[in-house]
Amino acid sequence: MKILVAVLALVALVGEAAGQPPPSLRGRTIAIDPGHNGGNARHAARIARLVDAGTHRKACDTVGARTAAGYPEHAHNLDVALRLAVLLRRAGARVVLTRGTNTGWGPCITRRAAIGNRVRADAAVSIHADGGPAGGRGFHVIHPARIRGLTDDIAAPSYRLALALRRAYRTGTGMPYATYTARAGLSSRSDLGGLNLSDVPKVFLEAGNMRNETDARLLSSSGFRQREANAIARALASYLRAQG
Ligand SMILES: [Zn+2]
């Protein structure tokens, strides 16, 4: 019996060390949206097409940022998304991704939102890394502003999701709050179609600043990206647990 207890404790410890959330997400559906796409630059006309972003018309998608050394944001975003999907599925969740490869273009922001809506996701997270001023560091979480008839149904739960993500990301990765934008790591926006068109609680993570040397080194490291995924998984688990 003592041996069994010791083995179980060891298994729990190993799971903890690997950063796995507890298997608490059974019955939950989570939409993960890795921002941009590796083929966007080759399909400039397609991604420049204007679509309805709720409050205004906006490009279908954009190319995204890159580090000074040439590591592209779209690769970062997909890598973190795939790592996150593994963790969430292991915890019992149903996971839907807006894209699973980095070779195509889009999808348009309208479709990215529609994918989370169609599966009635319990939560949706869009993964990005910013292209800010080289002198500025840090991450921020963007949540939808309350817009009557558009986001008034998701603004409050999205804000709670943003708080959970800010806390888990800060403690899980050590990345500081953005020094050049947002306020204490949080920003409310009304210009993002991916948020405006969402009918499910949704936030954007700007995981760091790709144009800053320190952040770029972190975002380019696979070990750091695993920590990002672990932190996002913990945030989702904590948010969903609180929702009941
Ligand atoms: Zn982006």
Side-chain angles (χ1 to χ4, degrees):
M1 189 62 190
K2 263 186 186 158
I3 292 172
L4 181 64
V5 169
V7 167
L8 288 176
L10 188 67
V11 167
L13 202 67
V14 168
E16 192 64 25
Q20 294 166 10
S24 56
L25 298 177
R26 220 169 299 281
R28 308 288 199 170
T29 300
I30 295 165
I32 309 175
D33 173 36
H36 317 283
N37 201 328
N40 280 4
R42 290 194 309 276
H43 295 276
R46 280 180 161 137
I47 66 161
R49 184 167 64 87
L50 295 181
V51 296
D52 180 9
T55 46
H56 59 301
R57 290 174 67 74
K58 203 170 175 177
C60 149
D61 206 6
T62 49
V63 171
R66 61 176 53 229
T67 68
Y71 180 61
E73 183 198 342
H74 53 73
H76 164 275
N77 300 342
L78 182 66
D79 185 72
V80 174
L82 295 177
R83 291 171 190 273
L84 175 61
V86 168
L87 294 173
L88 297 175
R89 286 179 177 137
R90 203 180 281 161
R94 176 186 177 210
V95 175
V96 179
L97 288 147
T98 57
R99 66 177 175 100
T101 69
N102 207 27
T103 50
W105 63 274
C108 292
I109 51 175
T110 42
R111 182 158 162 69
R112 290 175 188 266
I115 288 170
N117 295 345
R118 196 186 59 218
V119 298
R120 296 199 185 92
D122 294 291
V125 57
S126 195
I127 299 171
H128 288 257
D130 205 8
R137 276 205 69 193
F139 80 97
H140 64 287
V141 181
I142 305 169
H143 57 96
R146 185 180 295 274
I147 305 165
R148 191 189 289 238
L150 209 54
T151 58
D152 42 7
D153 53 340
I154 62 155
S158 299
Y159 180 64
R160 290 195 293 275
L161 176 58
L163 292 177
L165 182 54
R166 180 180 67 163
R167 184 171 55 242
Y169 195 81
R170 177 77 184 83
T171 53
T173 67
M175 181 71 84
Y177 296 154
T179 58
Y180 63 93
T181 187
R183 183 178 293 188
L186 282 183
S187 170
S188 158
R189 294 204 16 203
S190 59
D191 62 315
L192 297 174
L195 294 181
N196 291 347
L197 303 175
S198 183
D199 294 325
V200 301
K202 184 171 182 181
V203 295
F204 273 46
L205 171 67
E206 292 286 357
N209 177 12
M210 299 210 99
R211 304 306 299 174
N212 175 273
E213 200 181 331
T214 305
D215 285 9
R217 196 176 60 244
L218 291 168
L219 298 165
S220 305
S221 137
S222 59
F224 185 82
R225 292 195 299 273
Q226 185 61 47
R227 292 216 293 281
E228 290 186 48
N230 295 347
I232 303 167
R234 282 184 184 281
L236 287 163
S238 127
Y239 164 76
L240 292 169
R241 202 163 44 238
Q243 293 303 105

